[in-house]
Amino acid sequence: MNAFSDPSELNLASIQMVSTPKLNENLDVAASLIKAAANSGAQLAVLPEYFCLMGLKDTDKVNAREAPGSGPIQERLAAIANENNIYLVAGTIPLEAKESNKVLNTSLVFDPHGKQIGRYDKMHLFGFQTVTERYEESETIAAGNHPGQFKITVSEIEWYFGLSICYDLRFPELYRALGSVDCHIIPAAFTYTTGKDHWEILLRARAIENQCYVLSSAQGGLHLNQRRTWGESMLIDPWGQILSNLPEGEGFIQGTLSKDKLKEVRSKLPALKHRRL
């Protein structure tokens, strides 16, 4: 892992993809972008929702599901983290659910040795319908039941992260339940339709109300299944300012978490201490 002069800062990268129905192709793209981010100094990288598979039909992810702790997707992710000596938040992958016709849409966290240190199963399932668009995640995804978070220690400094996924962004009670964190990590595949109106404002609201950083990793473009995703992967600081963003297409953004910035915002406006509920 890359060493930095100031241990009170942590360098992060958010990977943006335009994933395809080809699993191995997506894993290769993810590996290449993570390697580039690590070479640029990133100590932690995040992949987007559905990074490993954006199928031609919703049931494709059911056919690609893996048992927790084993399978080619998880093995490749562990190897990528280890090879690049980086913490890796692996967007979402399809894991086995109780129902044979559904999956859990799961975000896994790996340490720089490739050991899994965190897991979150998406709790809120997206449903949206217009004359031209329809999405109903509950038809192929089983909802998770528990909030997710993880902690890492770098240069003897502890960093606390909350995990949420895409549609979760619309449910502020989830973020309150996660308590005080340094950064909320949000892999996503927001539709273009909802993203252009709601994505940025919701991300900035979550950062402002929780007085923490927010790092989102998005799908961003037109996919082979003709779904169009919004993109705009971004890092937002605890005051709600956008520090870095990538409007669309494949690539990554990079930025820094600062313990000093967190302390500054929380001391001058101690809103978290003023809560009554």
Side-chain angles (χ1 to χ4, degrees):
M1 186 168 302
N2 302 281
F4 287 84
S5 58
D6 188 348
S8 67
E9 295 184 348
L10 188 72
N11 193 289
L12 309 181
S14 172
I15 309 296
Q16 185 161 288
M17 295 176 61
V18 187
S19 295
T20 75
K22 297 181 179 180
L23 179 63
N24 288 330
E25 178 181 279
N26 295 326
L27 288 170
D28 288 345
V29 169
S32 176
L33 289 169
I34 291 165
K35 182 178 181 179
N39 288 341
S40 294
Q43 295 161 287
L44 182 150
V46 184
L47 289 165
E49 185 180 28
Y50 301 135
F51 78 91
C52 62
L53 186 68
M54 188 67 82
L56 294 176
K57 53 186 184 298
D58 288 343
T59 53
D60 287 353
K61 58 180 171 285
V62 179
N63 297 327
R65 67 191 183 278
E66 296 184 351
S70 66
I73 301 173
Q74 293 167 84
E75 290 169 3
R76 182 74 185 278
L77 291 169
I80 291 170
N82 180 252
E83 290 164 5
N84 293 283
N85 196 32
I86 197 169
Y87 287 96
L88 176 60
V89 182
T92 68
I93 70 168
L95 291 186
E96 291 179 351
K98 291 181 179 179
E99 303 97 325
S100 61
N101 63 334
K102 294 184 179 183
V103 299
L104 292 164
N105 194 23
T106 300
S107 186
L108 297 177
V109 185
F110 297 88
D111 74 7
H113 303 291
K115 178 184 177 182
Q116 184 186 317
I117 59 170
R119 170 178 170 172
Y120 168 64
D121 302 329
K122 185 176 183 180
M123 294 178 67
H124 300 96
L125 304 183
F126 183 52
F128 180 79
Q129 185 166 345
T130 66
V131 174
T132 57
E133 288 182 277
R134 181 184 181 275
Y135 304 98
E136 195 60 62
E137 288 188 326
S138 62
E139 292 178 351
T140 53
I141 297 175
N145 295 310
H146 306 287
Q149 55 190 181
F150 69 97
K151 177 185 74 172
I152 66 174
T153 303
V154 179
S155 300
E156 300 184 350
I157 301 293
E158 293 182 333
W159 298 90
Y160 293 86
F161 296 88
L163 292 171
S164 56
I165 299 167
C166 201
Y167 192 50
D168 284 332
L169 185 58
R170 296 181 182 274
F171 301 87
E173 63 271 21
L174 171 61
Y175 298 86
R176 284 293 194 233
L178 286 165
S180 180
V181 300
D182 297 308
C183 180
H184 280 298
I185 292 177
I186 309 174
F190 247 62
T191 69
Y192 186 91
T193 305
T194 57
K196 63 183 174 62
D197 293 328
H198 297 158
W199 174 246
E200 179 185 322
I201 195 169
L202 286 170
L203 287 172
R204 295 179 72 186
R206 298 295 87 85
I208 293 166
E209 69 194 10
N210 294 290
Q211 299 190 311
C212 68
Y213 289 90
V214 165
L215 180 66
S216 63
S217 172
Q219 296 280 351
L222 182 62
H223 304 265
L224 291 177
N225 61 8
Q226 298 307 302
R227 177 174 177 178
R228 187 180 181 188
T229 47
W230 176 241
E232 288 287 355
S233 297
M234 60 180 68
L235 176 64
I236 302 169
D237 77 6
W239 197 246
Q241 301 300 306
I242 298 172
L243 302 179
S244 183
N245 72 296
L246 179 59
E248 62 181 347
E250 188 179 284
F252 68 93
I253 59 169
Q254 213 162 337
T256 302
L257 304 189
S258 166
K259 288 286 190 181
D260 291 339
K261 183 65 175 182
L262 286 160
K263 291 176 182 176
E264 174 199 335
V265 170
R266 293 173 180 178
S267 61
K268 71 182 180 183
L269 179 62
L272 296 176
K273 294 181 179 180
H274 293 160
R275 290 176 58 205
R276 299 286 299 277
L277 296 175

